[in-house]
Amino acid sequence: MLERSREIFGNLMSAKDVKNAEKTRQKFLKKYGDDSGVTYRFALRDEPVLSPIGTKVLVRGEGAEFSDKTVFIGNIRMGFGHYRISMAMASCAKALGYEPVWLDLNSFPESLCTKIIGGQNDLYSLGSRLSQKSKLFNKLYWEPLNSEGFRKLSYNCADQASAELMANLLRTLPKDKPYVATHVWPAQAAIHAGFTKVVNAIPDNWPMALHLSEGSLHTIQTWSSYLGYKALRGMDKTRSLRPMPEGDIVYTGHYIDHELVSNLEHDTALRLERVKGGKAIRYLLTVGGAGAQQALFADIIKSLLPEIRAKKAVLFINVGDHKNVWKSLKSAVPELKAAKLFEDDYPAARDYAISAVDGEAEGLVGFCHKDIFAAVYITNLLMRASDVLVTKPSELAFYPIPKLFIQHVGGHEIWGAIHSAEMGDGTYEVAPGRETQDMLRLLQTEPEILTHMNECILKNKESGLYNGAYEVIRLAAAR
């Protein structure tokens, strides 16, 4: 009990930190109950959205069979980001000849594991929304928590204690299969459960102890964060820390889906053709899993309306599984009432997105799906048909499409925009209001900006920057 909380990469934790970790653990047991006596068994379910990338979903049941080619994709439904990265891993696993199995630790509501994760997810989503409504809450609590609170080694100490309670859900699964986690909790839970081939795919570009799972192989997407993680930089400002041991952390490049990487040259050529031909610029505006930033989205839509009326711009809007966001946006922007909306009709939305890659697109087009897989994956399909992705600098900061970065939600996201701007495939992070409007105007009137970004994307592809998900799968299989 608490072995991984007492010492982290050779750094002894204080008695106070270990005691607090145990308090956190006991708090969850008291609140949700102990399921250590429950045996969880599983079946495999086909998922239509994931079927093109050869992925089956693990659910409660009987009869799940695994082959020598099975790769577990351990994740949690927390926002959209970790699902999106998991889709990239599954896609590349399929392309390399493996059989990806989707394991969402937040999808077994009867388990203690899901109860803990679900409760934490609800708190994080609430915080994300409040941070956009209250400048004081954002400045005094949310920003410090996301940039410095999650950075502390003591935070990892508490997480490790909680992850022990998640491990029982995984006990009956074969422990010798490659296991790729796209959030730290699935990685920690797998290590506690005895898995031997765990890769912890770190999502962010700002080193935080939150993302550490000792016993896993840690992978990172940027060289700028490599040294920060290696040195455990700033994770305990009261002392010098021992670094992560040799071989525990590996740079891979960006985690990108095979469909996007393999079609990159084709899609980029079409973008350059539209830019040079003076055709309408296609923007893709995506709403995050927490449903925050609605006022900012409304302002962006209003700014683009004159260009859309003049057929100089097209706007795709994916509100994910937040139908309430679409209703709010329609109230703020009445012109959206005339927009074409794909609601809970994934086959039609998929066909539209695929046809738009090589075909025509115009006006305002909305997308809304209650199904979480469709809500996330339609953005992947729309990216291929779009010229500019308008997004906060979260996991989408690493995708090979020109990006306009709007205000972050959580301080750790800042470094995603910085990295993208340095790689040349995105803007710097723009402030709400005039700076966002000015950047939209620049993108509309100065074609060399998008030309430059697309040329950088081609150069980045040649350097292997977007091959990270393939590399993660290879590393997991070789563990």
Side-chain angles (χ1 to χ4, degrees):
M1 304 290 283
L2 298 178
E3 288 84 357
R4 295 191 178 277
S5 295
R6 293 191 175 93
E7 184 176 319
I8 301 171
F9 294 117
N11 298 287
L12 292 175
M13 303 305 295
S14 70
K16 179 181 178 182
D17 287 335
V18 175
K19 184 177 180 180
N20 287 337
E22 174 61 13
K23 283 183 178 178
T24 300
R25 185 175 178 277
Q26 291 300 324
K27 179 187 72 174
F28 287 137
L29 283 171
K30 183 178 180 180
K31 183 174 183 178
Y32 299 120
D34 186 354
D35 71 346
S36 58
V38 179
T39 299
Y40 293 98
R41 302 196 184 280
F42 301 96
L44 289 172
R45 187 195 77 202
D46 291 323
E47 168 51 54
V49 176
L50 298 181
S51 61
I53 54 176
T55 305
K56 293 184 181 294
V57 177
L58 210 61
V59 296
R60 286 291 299 276
E62 297 285 344
E65 295 183 357
F66 308 103
S67 74
D68 292 339
K69 290 292 186 178
T70 293
V71 175
F72 288 112
I73 310 295
N75 58 65
I76 61 172
R77 186 339 187 170
M78 179 174 273
F80 291 165
H82 303 289
Y83 258 38
R84 190 177 309 288
I85 297 171
S86 289
M87 288 172 176
M89 299 301 179
S91 168
C92 289
K94 167 72 160 41
L96 292 172
Y98 293 96
E99 298 169 1
V101 172
W102 192 272
L103 172 54
D104 177 2
L105 272 63
N106 198 16
S107 63
F108 302 93
E110 66 278 21
S111 72
L112 175 57
C113 176
T114 293
K115 290 172 183 175
I116 293 172
I117 293 172
Q120 297 302 100
N121 182 32
D122 290 343
L123 287 174
Y124 191 84
S125 296
L126 176 61
S128 293
R129 293 191 297 272
L130 287 176
S131 72
Q132 301 304 295
K133 295 177 180 179
S134 170
K135 290 183 179 180
L136 192 63
F137 174 82
N138 188 56
K139 180 180 180 180
L140 297 181
Y141 181 76
W142 195 246
E143 284 281 332
L145 175 65
N146 276 272
S147 57
E148 294 298 331
F150 292 154
R151 191 181 181 189
K152 296 178 182 178
L153 209 60
S154 57
Y155 194 92
N156 185 259
C157 174
D159 259 7
Q160 286 284 10
S162 303
E164 286 186 9
L165 302 177
M166 303 176 189
N168 185 54
L169 180 64
L170 310 179
R171 298 288 184 197
T172 63
L173 296 173
K175 310 299 189 302
D176 60 345
K177 303 298 181 188
Y179 182 109
V180 174
T182 62
H183 185 281
V184 70
W185 291 335
Q188 291 170 346
I191 293 296
H192 283 294
F195 282 75
T196 58
K197 297 182 178 182
V198 181
V199 173
N200 176 29
I202 294 174
D204 289 324
N205 196 31
W206 173 241
M208 296 188 290
L210 164 70
H211 292 305
L212 299 176
S213 174
E214 188 172 4
S216 308
L217 175 64
H218 298 71
T219 63
I220 46 95
Q221 300 186 81
T222 73
W223 282 115
S224 59
S225 65
Y226 173 85
L227 190 57
Y229 273 107
K230 177 71 176 175
L232 304 181
R233 183 189 179 207
M235 297 183 188
D236 188 338
K237 296 181 180 180
T238 67
R239 58 173 168 158
S240 296
L241 295 173
R242 292 185 179 184
M244 292 179 69
E246 182 178 356
D248 275 20
I249 184 167
V250 178
Y251 165 81
T252 60
H254 298 185
Y255 311 139
I256 308 297
D257 310 66
H258 171 71
E259 297 77 32
L260 295 173
V261 178
S262 61
N263 288 295
L264 186 149
E265 288 87 355
H266 173 269
D267 298 343
T268 304
L270 290 176
R271 291 182 188 120
L272 285 168
E273 185 179 302
R274 286 192 290 268
V275 170
K276 293 175 181 178
K279 294 187 177 181
I281 297 175
R282 302 173 176 188
Y283 295 88
L284 170 57
L285 179 61
T286 64
V287 175
Q293 298 183 301
Q294 293 178 41
L296 179 53
F297 296 145
D299 288 343
I300 291 170
I301 297 168
K302 290 175 184 176
S303 295
L304 284 173
L305 282 176
E307 302 295 331
I308 294 170
R309 293 191 194 101
K311 297 189 182 300
K312 294 181 179 180
V314 177
L315 181 58
F316 304 131
I317 306 169
N318 179 24
V319 298
D321 57 359
H322 297 288
K323 187 175 181 180
N324 61 308
V325 171
W326 183 255
K327 289 181 179 178
S328 296
L329 289 174
K330 281 198 302 182
S331 296
V333 188
E335 289 84 351
L336 281 178
K337 294 175 182 177
K340 181 178 180 63
L341 175 65
F342 291 94
E343 182 180 358
D344 294 327
D345 189 352
Y346 179 73
R350 176 198 60 210
D351 291 348
Y352 174 86
I354 292 172
S355 67
V357 174
D358 294 290
E360 299 299 318
E362 63 178 21
L364 287 160
V365 187
F367 301 83
C368 180
H369 293 90
K370 286 184 292 187
D371 177 78
I372 180 61
F373 295 104
V376 176
Y377 200 71
I378 193 64
T379 290
N380 287 41
L381 298 177
L382 289 167
M383 270 192 274
R384 292 197 55 203
S386 302
D387 297 314
V388 180
L389 175 63
V390 182
T391 178
K392 65 189 181 77
S394 55
E395 78 289 341
L396 284 168
F398 301 94
Y399 278 71
I401 175 176
K403 292 168 287 289
L404 191 169
F405 290 116
I406 58 176
Q407 186 180 45
H408 63 273
V409 181
H412 62 289
E413 293 181 344
I414 293 172
W415 296 89
I418 292 172
H419 172 72
S420 177
E422 292 291 340
M423 294 295 100
D425 62 7
T427 70
Y428 47 82
E429 182 181 335
V430 296
R434 181 181 299 173
E435 192 172 34
T436 299
Q437 294 164 9
D438 287 347
M439 184 57 72
L440 286 168
R441 191 178 304 112
L442 274 176
L443 293 172
Q444 281 294 131
T445 59
E446 303 291 339
E448 66 267 28
I449 297 175
L450 289 180
T451 299
H452 169 75
M453 288 185 184
N454 281 297
E455 288 173 348
C456 285
I457 287 170
L458 292 173
K459 291 176 183 176
N460 292 339
K461 168 72 183 305
E462 289 179 7
S463 73
L465 183 67
Y466 306 121
N467 291 341
Y470 300 109
E471 186 62 19
V472 168
I473 298 300
R474 293 188 183 104
L475 288 168
R479 288 280 280 170

